[in-house]
Amino acid sequence: TEPPAKPRKIQQLLAHATDCMSKYDLEGAIKFYEKAVSICPDDTDLLDAAGELCVELGRTEDAIKLLRRSIELRPDDNSSKYMNLGQLT
């Protein structure tokens, strides 16, 4: 089954984040992801993406927090979050 569509505001934030990433502006992208996570803190797709971006930016503590939250919510989804977390701890 398809996951439910993300709210319009989240879709807009993700579009801005994608635009930033296409310009290699990871700092700009993470700001949009952080805003999206603050609106939908239980969305594991957002938590995983923001966590991976924090890994790339060297924001270890933020990445650990995001990835752990994602694992708490949906431990069986996206095995890469375990790999990322394992490399950070």
Side-chain angles (χ1 to χ4, degrees), residues 40-61:
C40 292
D42 293 342
D43 185 317
T44 55
D45 291 336
L46 293 176
L47 292 165
D48 293 345
E52 290 175 20
L53 196 48
C54 283
V55 169
E56 290 185 43
L57 288 166
R59 292 175 48 180
T60 304
E61 291 193 22

Side-chain angles (χ1 to χ4, degrees), residues 62-75:
D62 291 333
I64 290 170
K65 186 172 91 172
L66 291 162
L67 295 170
R68 282 186 176 157
R69 177 73 180 138
S70 177
I71 288 168
E72 286 173 17
L73 293 169
R74 297 189 71 183

Side-chain angles (χ1 to χ4, degrees), residues 6-23:
K6 298 202 184 305
R8 182 161 177 72
K9 178 67 176 171
I10 299 298
Q11 291 176 4
Q12 291 170 338
L13 290 167
L14 294 178
H16 289 302
T18 300
D19 186 51
C20 287
M21 291 188 336
S22 72
K23 298 172 185 168

